[in-house]
Amino acid sequence: MVKNITIFTTKTCAYCPMVKKYLASKGLSYDEVNLDEEPQRQQEALAISGALTVPVTVVTRQDDSQEVVVGYNLAKLAPAIA
Amino acid sequence: MEKRTKENSHTVIMIGAGPAALSAAVYTTREDIETLLLEKGVPGGLAAVTDWVDNYPGFPDGLAGLELAGNLQKQAERFGAVIDFGEVTALHDEGEWKHLETTLGDLYARVVLVATGSDYKKLGIPGEAEYYARGVHYCATCDGAFYRDKRLVVVGGGNSAVQEAMFLTRFASHIDLMVRSRMRASDVLQKELQKFVDKGKITVHLATTTDEIIGDKDGKVVQVKGTDTKTGNEVKIDTDGVFVFVGLKPNSEFAGGQLETDELGLIKTDENLMSSMNGVFVAGDIRSHATMQIASAVGEGATAALKSANTSEGHVDVMEEV
Ligand SMILES: Cc1cc2nc3c(=O)[nH]c(=O)nc-3n(C[C@H](O)[C@H](O)[C@H](O)COP(=O)(O)OP(=O)(O)OC[C@H]3O[C@@H](n4cnc5c(N)ncnc54)[C@H](O)[C@@H]3O)c2cc1C
């Protein structure tokens, strides 16, 4: 079971709305960190994902285990929210 | 191989959901022709990852590529187009039906529109794969925001490289533009670029190859090595990241030689935009002699849809015969 989801995005990223739409289609809510508006959180996104790219989706489960999905990658995102 | 069934058969399948296919889908679905689009990446294709589109007719002030892509998708879906996310890996001619192998399974269509566009080419130099997404990038609108107040190298001398270098000045403190031979960007873009050069935001290195991307012990990109081809001297540029825009590679591999292509790998068509395979039409950047613009891709999509109507027309009922 999913406890919460955070997505790191930017305003110009084409794949970010796709992740948001996908989560919404599954009835899941999420917190969004827009790195254009909060550039100070870029290091956090990098530390979590190991990549200088967005979207980065962090799925935290009830047992506090985390799954990090880089990009719009349904093969990883779908099991992460299952 | 899965056999053809009612469920996996479609009147029209479009490969790709970029501007060409989305435009074509507006025309087919508005005529009640059942249409499925298969997209391996993002709807809107390259238009969706382009920061700003200034030359699409009807928008006097220009508009964001992402907005244009979203609008094209909305309009196609309004008339009933269905977009599924999957990749087409092979195409076979079975006469009246075309058989598509895809990551979603085998699919069949009366009419196929190939609108697969192209993907960014790689440089193929040491360091490029090692630092991918950690200092080496191919999409400025996706990854540019990570380079606020950093130095960047942009590789390439065509329209995309110049456009993206100018976009990246929003974030980067300085950009070195490495151009292998001479500038190939349009005069308009070169004039715009000059403004950034005059302000000291971009330095252009003509006749300079990019040979290696170097990282430090922490795995961060720190330098690009190249060669000044006029003097043969090594060129070293300190940088925090590299964005590569050295041209595009046509997405025609899936056809495995089944469709006739030109020497660049672009698919040849007749005056009706039909390929060498009967019932398979082609539109947009992937078409031989295409002009590689959103407006022309959209126009070709409309043309291909209208020309293909003869092939799909009257066959809707045949679906019921499966
Ligand atoms: C940086 C940059 C800036 C640009 N700026 C402008 C501009 O300002 N104005 C302008 O008019 N044009 C511009 N262009 C060109 C414009 O983006 C293209 O001409 C246009 O997007 C072509 O549309 P298309 O539908 O033919 O192909 P694409 O936009 O490339 O779309 C093809 C789609 O097919 C999908 N696909 C490919 N293979 C498969 C497969 N096997 N299975 C399933 N799906 C597949 C791809 O994922 C993609 O989404 C720019 C291009 C770039 C790279």
Side-chain angles (χ1 to χ4, degrees):
Chain A
M1 277 291 282
V2 173
K3 189 157 130 189
N4 60 57
I5 300 175
T6 303
I7 316 175
F8 292 88
T9 64
T10 63
K11 283 181 193 150
T12 51
C13 143
Y15 288 89
C16 298
M18 290 176 68
V19 172
K20 293 196 278 182
K21 236 188 196 171
Y22 177 72
L23 294 176
S25 75
K26 300 286 166 197
L28 293 167
S29 58
Y30 49 81
D31 295 321
E32 180 174 357
V33 179
N34 185 311
L35 295 178
D36 288 317
E37 283 155 14
E38 299 184 65
Q40 71 283 2
R41 295 189 68 178
Q42 279 180 16
Q43 274 308 318
E44 192 185 327
L46 172 61
I48 290 171
S49 68
L52 293 160
T53 191
V54 284
V56 170
T57 310
V58 184
V59 180
T60 307
R61 300 206 186 84
Q62 290 298 344
D63 63 3
D64 284 332
S65 65
Q66 279 191 337
E67 192 76 47
V68 178
V69 182
V70 179
Y72 177 67
N73 182 344
L74 284 190
K76 285 192 93 182
L77 193 57
I81 59 166
Chain B
M1 185 182 101
E2 291 160 50
K3 279 180 100 177
R4 191 168 71 78
T5 62
K6 205 168 158 183
E7 285 68 39
N8 66 17
S9 300
H10 298 271
T11 310
V12 177
I13 290 184
M14 299 187 177
I15 314 178
L22 289 170
S23 158
V26 168
Y27 280 80
T28 54
T29 52
R30 226 171 146 247
E31 293 300 320
D32 270 342
I33 298 171
E34 186 260 343
T35 303
L36 173 70
L37 293 85
L38 291 169
E39 173 54 57
K40 69 168 178 161
V42 60
L46 285 180
V49 297
T50 297
D51 160 49
W52 193 255
V53 179
D54 239 351
N55 56 357
Y56 189 75
F59 295 86
D61 303 318
L63 81 168
L66 195 53
E67 190 187 345
L68 177 58
N71 285 344
L72 287 167
Q73 180 180 352
K74 237 188 254 165
Q75 195 174 2
E77 287 178 337
R78 177 158 71 92
F79 295 117
V82 173
I83 303 174
D84 269 355
F85 291 95
E87 182 171 355
V88 175
T89 52
L91 172 68
H92 310 283
D93 192 358
E94 295 182 0
E96 230 178 322
W97 291 91
K98 311 299 156 201
H99 168 203
L100 293 90
E101 289 178 43
T102 85
T103 49
L104 303 173
D106 292 279
L107 297 173
Y108 295 82
R110 310 290 315 214
V111 170
V112 171
L113 176 71
V114 180
T116 48
S118 20
D119 275 341
Y120 290 112
K121 256 192 207 157
K122 306 246 156 64
L123 282 164
I125 58 169
E128 188 180 21
E130 290 88 321
Y131 297 106
Y132 173 64
R134 294 183 298 118
V136 177
H137 306 268
Y138 302 88
C139 176
T141 53
C142 311
D143 306 337
F146 285 91
Y147 292 93
R148 222 167 282 270
D149 304 322
K150 301 264 167 69
R151 288 183 70 97
L152 282 176
V153 162
V154 170
V155 186
N159 285 342
S160 305
V162 169
Q163 215 169 324
E164 300 297 55
M166 293 189 299
F167 169 72
L168 286 165
T169 59
R170 284 189 202 180
F171 309 105
S173 56
H174 181 265
I175 287 171
D176 287 286
L177 183 64
M178 298 183 66
V179 185
R180 190 180 52 179
S181 50
R182 58 177 184 81
M183 204 55 107
R184 283 171 295 104
S186 68
D187 288 346
V188 179
L189 283 176
Q190 288 198 46
K191 258 190 211 140
E192 263 184 73
L193 173 69
Q194 191 56 44
K195 291 183 200 154
F196 291 87
V197 172
D198 293 343
K199 279 190 264 177
K201 286 289 276 184
I202 297 180
T203 305
V204 180
H205 305 266
L206 293 176
T208 306
T209 59
T210 306
D211 305 337
E212 188 177 358
I213 296 162
I214 316 247
D216 64 8
K217 59 176 179 10
D218 300 324
K220 279 193 182 147
V221 166
V222 290
Q223 195 178 62
V224 167
K225 272 192 196 165
T227 306
D228 179 332
T229 57
K230 287 210 172 111
T231 61
N233 290 342
E234 187 176 62
V235 176
K236 287 182 182 172
I237 297 174
D238 291 338
T239 189
D240 297 296
V242 183
F243 281 77
V244 181
F245 304 103
V246 290
L248 297 164
K249 185 175 75 59
N251 284 324
S252 55
E253 273 164 16
F254 75 93
Q258 301 262 16
L259 306 177
E260 204 183 323
T261 55
D262 63 16
E263 60 288 356
L264 299 173
L266 299 165
I267 302 170
K268 289 186 180 177
T269 57
D270 63 14
E271 71 273 20
N272 292 321
L273 304 193
M274 188 153 86
S275 71
S276 55
M277 192 185 284
N278 194 35
V280 176
F281 293 78
V282 185
D285 281 11
I286 190 61
R287 201 178 67 79
S288 183
H289 296 298
T291 46
M292 312 284 179
Q293 291 294 302
I294 300 167
S296 28
V298 161
E300 287 185 16
T303 305
L306 293 169
K307 295 286 186 185
S308 71
N310 291 341
T311 315
S312 51
E313 226 168 54
H315 289 296
V316 184
D317 291 344
V318 181
M319 308 280 297
E320 306 302 323
E321 291 168 12
V322 176

